[in-house]
Amino acid sequence: MLTRIDHIGIACFDLDKTVEFYRATYGFEVFHSEVNEEQGVREAMLKINETSDGGASYLQLLEPTREDSAVGKWLAKNGEGVHHIAFGTEDVDGDASDIREKGVRVLYDEPRTGSMGSRITFLHPKDCHGVLTELVTSRADH
């Protein structure tokens, strides 16, 4: 069962400049940053708030580390902006399976490792009214 909006992913050309905008404008601070080599991105997670289910909601800022990454290709086509929305779930495997049975294409056969050690998968935007949708099971200590 989906429990919250885990994060909104925002693609950007310059991560440091974009982080500074969100810090100066809204007071959001970086909670976590990392480079995900598999996905070809450098990212910063800005914590917005805690949630009633023990999780949190974030803005995820994404800068591609290579042009052929999914985010790099998306930026080249669309420019900066909202890239995806992610919903938190306690069971990414089960929810992905249930959603797949409803006719929505799940992009990964098996969930992959995402930010902060989470387990993730994506749903095809053409099946989700144009919105790239991510399902996230957070690591227990986040």
Side-chain angles (χ1 to χ4, degrees):
M1 176 170 91
L2 305 181
T3 58
R4 69 184 181 284
I5 294 174
D6 184 86
H7 67 271
I8 297 171
I10 300 172
C12 61
F13 291 112
D14 183 329
L15 184 65
D16 297 328
K17 183 177 175 182
T18 306
V19 164
E20 183 52 36
F21 168 81
Y22 281 96
R23 179 181 294 126
T25 305
Y26 305 115
F28 298 153
E29 295 294 331
V30 174
F31 177 78
H32 175 83
S33 61
E34 68 182 82
V35 174
N36 185 320
E37 295 294 342
E38 180 183 3
Q39 294 182 20
V41 294
R42 187 170 80 109
E43 64 178 76
M45 296 293 274
L46 311 178
K47 185 185 266 187
I48 306 305
N49 66 328
E50 303 291 330
T51 61
S52 62
D53 67 355
S57 293
Y58 303 91
L59 286 180
Q60 178 188 44
L61 306 179
L62 300 159
E63 175 190 55
T65 58
R66 56 182 199 268
E67 291 178 10
D68 69 338
S69 70
V71 172
K73 291 176 186 176
W74 191 89
L75 268 171
K77 180 179 178 182
N78 300 294
E80 293 183 307
V82 175
H83 179 261
H84 67 274
I85 186 167
F87 294 108
T89 173
E90 292 180 9
D91 182 12
V92 69
D93 298 273
D95 283 335
S97 178
D98 291 346
I99 290 169
R100 182 182 282 120
E101 288 177 11
K102 294 174 183 173
V104 175
R105 287 174 281 179
V106 178
L107 298 183
Y108 304 152
D109 290 331
E110 295 291 326
R112 296 182 182 179
T113 302
S115 300
M116 300 183 289
S118 62
R119 296 187 73 238
I120 65 165
T121 194
F122 285 89
L123 309 178
H124 200 293
K126 288 185 179 178
D127 297 342
C128 299
H129 298 272
V131 178
L132 179 61
T133 303
E134 182 179 8
L135 305 179
V136 178
T137 296
S138 298
R139 206 171 76 193
D141 60 346
H142 283 281

